[in-house]
Amino acid sequence: AALHRVTPLVRSEQLSSKVKCDVLLKLDCLQPSGSFKIRGIGHTCQEAISKGAKRFVSSSGGNAGNAAAYAGQQLGLDVLVVVPSSTSEQVQTRIRTLYGATVEVHGDAWDEADKYAREIVAKDPAAAYIHPFEQATTWTGHASLIDEIKEQLDGQKPGLLLVSVGGGGLLMGCLEGLDKHEWRDVPVVAMETHGADALFKSVQADELVTLPAITSLAKTLGAKTVAKSVFERAKGEKERIRCQTISDKQCIETLQTFIDQERLMVEPSCAAALSPLYDDGTLFKSIGIDVAKLQGPIVAVVCGGSGVSMGALEAWQAQVGLGKSQ
């Protein structure tokens, strides 16, 4: 059996009335590991076991690490999660205590933690390497999101899909799912934040760009380079995949409003995908989307995030100058 839950697809009354179009929220924030990641990572872990893996090694400063640890716990295998020093104590503690995995801190950024994780796996034939976003099995697992949406909409095609992009795994999975159901004409809005916008910058430059550092507070969007495959898709299908970025401040404003209206807590990384629904229509216009002409509902993937708490929210608000007094 799959390790992920079938999550609700719910209509947002507030957003539907604001945008003047049905807006449906796919609530992957309700996954057992806190985010959509368990879909793909769970599938990859199950595939690895079928090939003889006896333990998992993951490199993730956040949601993928949580998902790998949860998968290992469910499947009865030991998990080592290598995280960079930028990973919060809260996240490290959750991985250790809630899922019983071993956490090792290595390097300042994910890329360094990942290199170290690969070195460990290279020396241990029983270990399976679990990449946060780049494995084809992971994309196939994420494609289950579209399978569910199709069933929940009774086969009705969405007019538009909104997703956040970190390394590009969720986007690749959604594209795979849309292709599978012959929904290739559904435009996908791929959102990033300034300072974590490796896909947007790559598409603009027409080559794979590596960011010098992740400067956005949306740390879980923090891949300095996106998966090569996702860049090639975005570059080759510009009509279908609309890339855009927002500031950290816009992101936190979106997050605040979303929490107030929908009463759900998510990470800034997730709020990035929702941001075009909360501004005055400028973001949609900037990428050539006319909401009035959409042939079906807008589906926003609420991808979740395990690194959210009241304390974290207050810290993010302070970072962008949105305190309690605003």
Side-chain angles (χ1 to χ4, degrees):
L3 298 176
H4 63 266
R5 287 179 188 142
V6 173
T7 56
L9 181 70
V10 300
R11 184 176 191 270
S12 165
E13 302 306 324
Q14 302 243 33
L15 284 171
S16 299
S17 126
K18 179 183 180 299
V19 181
K20 298 182 177 56
C21 172
D22 277 337
V23 175
L24 308 176
L25 304 174
K26 180 62 173 159
L27 299 180
D28 253 38
C29 51
L30 302 178
Q31 290 293 357
S33 66
S35 83
F36 78 95
K37 290 273 188 187
I38 188 58
R39 291 180 182 275
I41 301 275
H43 184 61
T44 290
C45 288
Q46 286 172 311
E47 290 277 311
I49 286 181
S50 73
K51 296 192 170 117
K54 297 287 182 280
R55 75 174 184 129
F56 301 135
V57 179
S58 159
S59 65
S60 160
N63 296 306
N66 265 295
Y70 173 79
Q73 183 188 52
Q74 297 301 305
L75 299 166
L77 262 66
D78 284 341
V79 181
L80 168 65
V81 182
V82 182
V83 300
S85 58
S86 58
T87 306
S88 74
E89 274 302 322
Q90 178 205 350
V91 169
Q92 291 183 41
T93 304
R94 184 191 287 110
I95 294 173
R96 283 193 188 100
T97 54
L98 195 55
Y99 307 126
T102 305
V103 176
E104 207 171 314
V105 179
H106 187 90
D108 294 329
W110 170 76
D111 314 64
E112 293 158 43
D114 185 59
K115 186 166 176 271
Y116 182 65
R118 288 173 192 258
E119 285 164 9
I120 292 169
V121 173
K123 293 174 195 153
D124 181 359
Y129 167 70
I130 311 295
H131 192 285
F133 56 81
E134 209 158 35
Q135 284 156 306
T137 46
T138 297
W139 304 336
T140 298
H142 293 331
S144 62
L145 196 121
I146 304 293
D147 299 341
E148 286 172 26
I149 289 170
K150 183 169 187 184
E151 199 162 305
Q152 289 164 327
L153 286 175
D154 294 327
Q156 183 199 5
K157 191 163 46 171
L160 186 67
L161 188 69
L162 302 179
V163 298
S164 294
V165 176
L170 175 60
L171 176 54
M172 285 299 284
C174 287
L175 292 170
E176 186 175 314
L178 292 168
D179 289 350
K180 174 180 158 188
H181 295 292
E182 300 195 342
W183 281 357
R184 290 184 187 85
D185 54 344
V186 175
V188 182
V189 177
M191 293 299 303
E192 296 170 291
T193 51
H194 302 161
D197 47 356
L199 180 61
F200 182 78
K201 287 222 158 73
S202 297
V203 170
Q204 272 196 320
D206 209 32
E207 62 178 4
L208 200 57
V209 167
T210 298
L211 301 175
I214 300 300
T215 55
S216 169
L217 57 70
K219 292 292 173 227
T220 51
L221 291 184
K224 289 187 205 167
T225 318
V226 294
K228 187 163 185 275
S229 316
V230 85
F231 162 63
E232 281 165 359
R233 294 286 306 252
K235 176 183 156 178
E237 300 174 59
K238 288 196 175 100
E239 248 326 279
R240 180 186 186 185
I241 304 163
R242 315 287 178 95
C243 300
Q244 189 49 284
T245 63
I246 51 162
S247 68
D248 278 352
K249 188 170 183 186
Q250 275 173 290
C251 187
I252 300 306
E253 283 168 347
T254 295
L255 181 57
Q256 286 181 168
T257 314
F258 177 75
I259 292 171
D260 288 348
Q261 291 185 356
E262 307 297 338
R263 303 166 301 284
L264 290 163
M265 293 274 276
V266 296
E267 287 186 9
S269 309
C270 171
L274 307 170
S275 57
L277 299 166
Y278 284 95
D279 76 346
D280 56 4
T282 308
L283 277 167
F284 278 141
K285 277 199 195 83
S286 73
I287 46 174
I289 301 287
D290 183 348
V291 173
K293 290 187 176 153
L294 295 178
Q295 299 296 303
I298 296 173
V299 176
V301 179
V302 183
C303 56
S306 50
V308 62
S309 63
M310 290 299 286
L313 180 61
E314 284 174 14
W316 294 324
Q317 287 171 319
Q319 269 179 272
V320 296
L322 292 169
K324 287 178 180 163
S325 61
Q326 252 73 26

